Amino acid sequence: MSSAHEGHFEALRAQLQEAAATFADGPDALQGILLGIVDDVDRAVREPLEIFPVCHHSPASAVAMARRLREKQPKVVYLELCEDMAPLLTELRNCKLPVALQAFATEVDGFPAEWSPLSVVAPITETSAEYQAIAYALDTPGVELVLVDRSSDHVFQWDVRETHADDPADPDAPPAQEEADLHGDAVGVEIGDLRPRFAELEEHLLHHGRVRHWSEWWHQYVELPLGDSDHDTYRQVMLLIGSLFRRLAPGDPHRVRVDEDRERYMWTRMREHLAATGTDPADSLYICGAFHAASRVGEFGVQGTDTFEISPRSATKWQHGLIPSSHAAIEAQFGLAAGSVSIAATVWAKNVRRTRVEPYRLVGQAGAKKTKVKKTAAAAAPVPVVEPSDKLTGFLQQPPVLDRLDETELLGWSVEIVRAARRGGYLASTADAIAVFETSILLAGMRDRARPTPYDFQDAAVTCIEKDTVPGRRDVRRLVEIMMGGDRVGQVGYDALPPLARDVHDRLAPLNLKLQQRGVQRALLDIASQPELERCSDVLWMLRLLMPQGAARPIMGERRLGERPIQESWDLALGTHQRALIELGYEGVSIEQVLEQRLRRAAYGPQATAATVLEAVEDATLYLCSRRLADELGTRALEVLSAERSVDGAPEVLRRVRRLLAYYRTNEPVLPPWIESFVKTGYAHYCTLLPTAFTDDDATVRQVAAMLGFLFSMESLALSLGCDRTQLELALAQSHPQDPPKTALLWAAQVQLGHLSRADLRARCDELLGNPLVVPAYPRYLSGFVHALEPVPGLTDFVVEAVSNAFGRLPDPVLLPWLPTLITTLRSGGAESAPLLIREAGRIFPGRLAALDEWVPPWRSQPEAVHAARRADSSRGCPLLAAHPAACDAVASLLGCDGTWETADPGPPGAALAGRHPDTAVALEVLLAGA
């Protein structure tokens, strides 16, 4: 112990030495820790540059900060906050707290690509000490505010460094974040991470303090005692706590290295600023977390010689802005108990009234008083240096004092919670208010507390009012949180929004809605009578695509290719999703630019498929009306399709290509070159993959059906572009599926090509039903036929026939289990085919129940009777052919039949042909008669 320490905290040192000798078997280790804590406090209070230790969102820290700033009037305020966020602080005037300072980067350079996007946030509330310092510095002439913590870029630089140091084999691991995450995937930066890092220590404190979580312990044993303490007492106690948690922290090399490097970084920045400006350290104030204020880094301080080399920033382009925050977001991000930040706001208001300290508040901020605040310059005269005295000994020995104001406050809480409970459906009365009041005092006494805390009151209210039922939407615990202030949500003002967000608000101004207001608002767009609203519709559809679900939700109206909107109705919640809108502003200056960037990113990403690129083409056409971008992305879709070796996206490719073809054929004079090349390449591509897909277990029936649908529906265009149909015929000839659904799909394709007649297909199905060994698998064949309606819609009547035969001939043990499969098949893969089946069934089956008994299915009629009837109907056509046999013989020879009309049965080609197809003869007669 140096001689400089003599004469200060000697009484406390003696008491700690005695305690170490009494309570420890080997007092050397414990004595070293306890005396080291006193040394840390002594060293910090002797620093020429005054160190002000704080805890994040602590009312006691905020009150002490406001008091000290008014007493000392420092000319320079050094604040532990990311130095690149300094330009954002002036925009706090346009915001309603709580908000968060954010640094955001979408395109990274120097960091692993897997980390993108990078985001760092620092929440600010009215009950935080840093807000008091910011308000003082910005509204007081002659005061300079300097942020000294590492920049957002250095936060991730150190993560890369530590990742390589801890695991060199995994350089792309996610960043090792020091605090809990929320506000998206952002890294949280706070002032005063004051919590035990030794799990056993925290458990010990919670157990002996008779509390449930850390927030309650801090409120009881730190916030309340320090709420109205003087500056020296507050400062020494906070340094004591920071040093205690620092010395009892586990020896994590990574965490210790980061802590010490941060402290060296901040002191290096302060030394550089003091040397550059010539500021007297006595006129400055250094605000940092109590954990860092009790630093044990050797030779630290403004007079130290310890140097730290700060690396240059990477080439990553960072965007900075403000995003709305909330009490719940802060609690979740930093591991606080639910409702603790709201309780801190209540304690802050109480401390301000008790201590009569006038807090600082930014002039012009939302909710501030309209009266003009008089600006006072910083004191010119140097602040007299007061020798620090020992305040720890007296503070640690004084008993807690019960404040009479707490009883009045507790009584008000009890009455208010009963009133809120009655509104929530509880049968609460005045007796319950008295019970809650008395139970709160009882619980505080059982927990060795001098006065009930909000947590004691919450437990008492749950016990006395809720009991075992919750009649409404909220339980009593939630009602208490609302009564204490609730989840207060901040808001970023219009002037502090990025250009994109302001542009969105300006373009939606014709809707006459309060878009910054939280909650859902209904927008009605009658575009037919007000054509100018069509521009608002375009913005809303792009916001629906870019923002989270619920920010812009269409109630009536849809956007399709080639269609114009008439009337639309929207539910808008842009105020609730303000953070998402602000982060869009970090990606571009307009929503069109952001949408184009995202479409390009999706099309050129490593996971891009032909289906996703076609989706980007459709979105570019639908939302941006950009032919240039659509052609570029269409060319990219062609490249991706040529490189694919699977058929997973075939259904989506078929659906989107059909839609784009229909759009271009009706709205463009000629088809774009890219879609012609896509059809031509896709025809050859799917013909090549077809034999493998029929036998591949990973390829589903729906995917194979989509491939055949592409080949058959695009066949005419593909053949006109130079494709050869022989390639498709060879692909089907090489396909030998073993799975029943795929076999049925192959049969349907053969019927489409003319390689298999309907009579043969019907005979195969009858053979399946007649084979007892195959009957259990017959429903699977039917599933294949249902999927076959996609490539071969002409088989609709045959599918109805096959399903009817299944219902009539399959045994119940096979039929009943198959029915759910049929329904799910129609719902998932046959949504477009179900209307065809229903329409065809309505055409075939009788419309009345009385006709059902005499009805004979057309597929069960005798072929001979049908042909005789057709020959009778065509009696007028056959004499004409007999009178002119040469014409019939010529047609027969063209069709490959030998012989002449006069040849006797059974060989006459013309007569046989006319007998098999009498309708043709009748039609020919009518045509000639008309001529």
Side-chain angles (χ1 to χ4, degrees):
M1 186 181 304
S2 63
S3 60
H5 293 165
E6 295 179 358
H8 298 284
F9 303 105
E10 289 302 325
L12 182 59
R13 285 192 176 91
Q15 292 181 8
L16 293 179
Q17 286 178 340
E18 182 180 353
T22 303
F23 296 104
D25 296 334
D28 294 340
L30 180 59
Q31 180 175 335
I33 294 176
L34 295 178
L35 296 183
I37 293 174
V38 180
D39 293 340
D40 293 339
V41 175
D42 197 6
R43 181 173 57 249
V45 298
R46 288 175 176 273
E47 174 62 37
L49 174 59
E50 181 179 336
I51 303 175
F52 195 96
V54 299
C55 177
H56 200 45
H57 305 302
S58 167
S61 296
V63 171
M65 173 62 66
R67 181 194 299 111
R68 185 55 179 167
L69 290 173
R70 294 196 180 276
E71 292 175 353
K72 183 171 183 176
Q73 293 287 311
K75 296 180 180 179
V76 178
V77 176
Y78 298 107
L79 184 61
E80 181 193 334
L81 198 62
C82 294
E83 57 186 3
D84 57 327
M85 293 183 177
L88 299 176
L89 299 180
T90 57
E91 297 294 340
L92 289 175
R93 303 180 190 275
N94 302 314
C95 302
K96 178 182 177 182
L97 301 182
V99 296
L101 312 176
Q102 183 182 40
F104 192 87
T106 54
E107 298 180 1
V108 298
D109 187 355
F111 305 107
E114 290 77 9
W115 290 11
S116 178
L118 305 179
S119 180
V120 178
V121 297
I124 303 291
T125 65
E126 292 185 2
T127 62
S128 56
E130 59 267 31
Y131 175 74
Q132 294 297 310
I134 293 171
Y136 163 77
L138 295 183
D139 286 344
T140 305
V143 176
E144 184 179 4
L145 178 63
V146 182
L147 306 186
V148 295
D149 201 1
R150 46 187 185 159
S151 66
S152 305
D153 196 89
H154 285 97
V155 171
F156 288 96
Q157 280 190 32
W158 292 11
D159 286 331
V160 172
R161 182 188 65 185
E162 297 302 329
T163 301
H164 282 271
D166 296 339
D167 188 8
D170 187 16
D172 294 337
Q177 300 173 2
E178 301 172 24
E179 288 86 15
D181 288 349
L182 203 75
H183 299 95
D185 295 327
V187 175
V189 176
E190 62 172 336
I191 295 180
D193 180 17
L194 208 55
R195 185 166 184 167
R197 299 178 182 176
F198 190 33
E200 287 77 4
L201 173 60
E202 181 172 343
E203 182 180 355
H204 176 83
L205 294 175
L206 297 182
H207 174 72
H208 289 277
R210 300 186 180 182
V211 295
R212 293 166 298 175
H213 42 71
W214 176 251
S215 299
E216 187 175 359
W217 186 94
W218 182 266
H219 174 86
Q220 172 65 25
Y221 295 100
V222 180
E223 286 294 337
L224 295 181
L226 292 181
D228 53 358
S229 60
D230 61 274
H231 169 66
D232 289 338
T233 302
Y234 165 82
R235 188 182 178 198
Q236 294 175 19
V237 170
M238 292 295 288
L239 289 171
L240 175 71
I241 297 174
S243 177
L244 173 66
F245 291 167
R246 190 181 186 104
R247 288 184 176 272
L248 295 183
D252 183 2
H254 162 71
R255 188 64 182 267
V256 172
R257 184 165 54 248
V258 170
D259 288 334
E260 294 181 350
D261 284 350
R262 285 185 66 183
E263 291 149 9
R264 293 188 178 97
Y265 189 106
M266 291 186 285
W267 280 107
T268 300
R269 288 302 192 200
M270 286 186 286
R271 290 170 187 161
E272 292 175 352
H273 182 269
L274 291 173
T277 60
T279 304
D280 186 357
D283 296 333
S284 306
L285 187 66
Y286 171 35
I287 304 170
C288 66
F291 193 90
H292 296 298
S295 173
R296 292 179 291 167
V297 176
E299 299 298 331
F300 77 100
V302 295
Q303 297 178 347
T305 59
D306 189 15
T307 59
F308 182 76
E309 182 179 356
I310 299 176
S311 61
R313 300 182 185 180
S314 68
T316 299
K317 295 182 179 179
W318 289 88
Q319 303 286 339
H320 297 83
L322 297 165
I323 61 173
S325 185
S326 66
H327 290 174
I330 297 172
E331 290 161 0
Q333 184 174 22
F334 300 117
L336 305 176
S340 59
V341 178
S342 299
I343 293 175
T346 304
V347 175
W348 155 258
K350 177 182 175 181
N351 289 347
V352 170
R353 291 193 303 267
R354 294 175 59 184
T355 59
R356 300 182 183 274
V357 172
E358 183 181 356
Y360 289 93
R361 192 167 191 178
L362 288 171
V363 177
Q365 189 165 22
K369 296 181 181 180
K370 299 301 181 181
T371 57
K372 186 177 180 180
V373 179
K374 182 179 179 181
K375 297 183 179 181
T376 58
V383 178
V385 179
V386 180
E387 188 71 16
S389 59
D390 180 12
K391 295 296 184 70
L392 281 176
T393 305
F395 177 83
L396 296 177
Q397 292 178 349
Q398 70 179 9
V401 179
L402 178 62
D403 193 342
R404 297 294 300 175
L405 181 61
D406 286 345
E407 293 187 3
T408 305
E409 183 183 52
L410 180 61
L411 184 60
W413 287 353
S414 302
V415 174
E416 183 61 29
I417 190 58
V418 169
R419 183 181 295 112
R422 291 183 65 86
R423 289 195 300 264
Y426 291 90
L427 299 178
S429 63
T430 305
D432 293 310
I434 298 173
V436 171
F437 180 85
E438 297 294 341
T439 306
S440 301
I441 298 176
L442 177 63
L443 288 177
M446 295 173 60
R447 295 166 179 173
D448 293 336
R449 298 177 184 174
R451 52 190 175 185
T453 66
Y455 302 97
D456 298 325
F457 170 75
Q458 189 178 57
D459 293 341
V462 172
T463 303
C464 299
I465 298 177
E466 184 174 300
K467 301 178 177 65
D468 58 348
T469 59
V470 179
R473 294 186 300 112
R474 300 184 178 98
D475 57 9
V476 174
R477 189 174 300 278
R478 176 59 181 157
L479 292 176
V480 173
E481 293 179 4
I482 296 175
M483 191 188 71
M484 292 293 177
D487 183 17
R488 188 173 303 171
V489 181
Q491 186 181 66
V492 179
Y494 175 86
D495 295 331
L497 292 174
L500 181 144
R502 293 200 300 268
D503 179 62
V504 168
H505 284 277
D506 295 340
R507 294 167 68 177
L508 295 180
L511 298 179
N512 296 322
L513 297 176
K514 298 180 180 178
L515 297 177
Q516 286 192 306
Q517 180 178 331
R518 292 183 59 84
V520 179
Q521 302 180 70
R522 178 64 57 88
L524 303 176
L525 286 73
D526 188 1
I527 303 174
S529 60
Q530 294 178 287
E532 64 274 10
L533 293 181
E534 186 175 355
R535 297 183 178 180
C536 297
S537 174
D538 296 337
V539 174
L540 292 176
W541 282 107
M542 284 187 282
L543 290 178
R544 177 180 178 268
L545 197 66
L546 295 173
M547 294 189 65
Q549 184 178 7
R553 185 169 64 94
I555 304 301
M556 181 184 69
E558 58 183 352
R559 182 64 64 96
R560 291 184 178 181
L561 288 173
E563 296 183 0
R564 304 290 296 179
I566 299 176
Q567 287 184 336
E568 293 179 354
S569 175
W570 290 80
D571 275 352
L572 302 180
L574 298 184
T576 305
H577 296 85
Q578 192 182 49
R579 169 183 164 266
L581 181 62
I582 291 174
E583 290 187 348
L584 285 181
Y586 300 156
E587 302 182 41
V589 296
S590 67
I591 53 177
E592 288 83 1
Q593 180 186 5
V594 174
L595 180 56
E596 181 173 345
Q597 291 176 353
R598 290 196 179 184
L599 293 179
R600 291 180 186 275
R601 193 180 306 126
Y604 289 91
Q607 305 298 326
T609 63
T612 58
V613 181
L614 287 177
E615 181 182 5
V617 174
E618 186 174 349
D619 291 340
T621 306
L622 190 60
Y623 300 111
L624 297 177
C625 300
S626 174
R627 178 65 183 273
R628 170 192 54 81
L629 180 61
D631 291 346
E632 177 187 343
L633 298 180
T635 305
R636 171 61 179 170
L638 178 61
E639 299 173 358
V640 175
L641 179 68
S642 302
E644 284 185 348
R645 292 297 176 264
S646 66
V647 296
D648 296 341
E652 190 70 12
V653 169
L654 173 63
R655 185 170 63 88
R656 296 194 179 276
V657 166
R658 280 179 174 174
R659 196 152 53 205
L660 289 169
L661 269 176
Y663 169 75
Y664 286 128
R665 282 171 173 167
T666 56
N667 293 273
E668 300 288 344
V670 294
L671 292 177
W674 75 265
I675 200 167
E676 293 183 348
S677 302
F678 190 91
V679 172
K680 183 178 179 180
T681 304
Y683 188 87
H685 178 73
Y686 284 132
C687 284
T688 304
L689 297 180
L690 193 60
T692 305
F694 266 113
T695 57
D696 189 2
D697 294 337
D698 294 333
T700 64
V701 182
R702 183 168 177 263
Q703 293 168 355
V704 179
M707 294 174 62
L708 292 174
F710 185 95
L711 295 172
F712 290 148
S713 61
M714 308 291 169
E715 186 176 19
S716 59
L717 179 58
L719 295 181
S720 66
L721 295 174
C723 294
D724 190 358
R725 195 185 192 192
T726 306
Q727 188 175 5
L728 175 59
E729 295 178 348
L730 291 175
L732 289 177
Q734 296 173 359
S735 302
H736 305 287
Q738 301 295 326
D739 195 31
K742 293 182 180 179
T743 302
L745 200 58
L746 178 61
W747 292 348
Q750 292 174 346
V751 171
Q752 178 70 12
L753 290 179
H755 296 171
L756 185 66
S757 65
R758 288 203 173 197
D760 294 336
L761 182 60
R762 184 177 291 108
R764 292 185 180 183
C765 292
D766 291 339
E767 182 181 354
L768 293 176
L769 284 173
N771 189 343
L773 299 178
V774 185
V775 165
Y778 186 74
R780 302 187 63 196
Y781 285 93
L782 291 182
S783 299
F785 284 129
V786 171
H787 283 95
L789 294 181
E790 175 71 37
V792 191
L795 284 180
T796 304
D797 58 339
F798 177 80
V799 175
V800 173
E801 173 187 343
V803 173
S804 300
N805 290 334
F807 276 86
R809 299 178 59 179
L810 285 178
D812 289 345
V814 176
L815 179 62
L816 295 180
W818 169 65
L819 290 179
T821 304
L822 175 64
I823 295 174
T824 55
T825 300
L826 291 175
R827 291 186 61 182
S828 61
E832 299 178 357
S833 304
L836 298 176
L837 293 174
I838 295 173
R839 191 182 308 113
E840 184 66 21
R843 187 186 65 84
I844 294 177
F845 290 100
R848 296 183 178 181
L849 184 62
L852 186 61
D853 295 336
E854 300 178 357
W855 176 74
V856 178
W859 54 84
R860 291 187 181 178
S861 301
Q862 295 296 328
E864 293 79 5
V866 175
H867 293 165
R870 289 181 177 178
R871 283 195 297 269
D873 293 338
S874 62
S875 59
R876 295 184 299 149
C878 291
L880 179 64
L881 291 176
H884 303 280
C888 187
D889 292 340
V891 174
S893 61
L894 288 176
L895 296 177
C897 298
D898 297 331
T900 61
W901 174 263
E902 291 81 5
T903 306
D905 274 337
L913 185 62
R916 290 197 300 270
H917 303 284
D919 295 338
T920 307
V922 175
L924 180 60
E925 180 188 17
V926 173
L927 181 63
L928 294 176

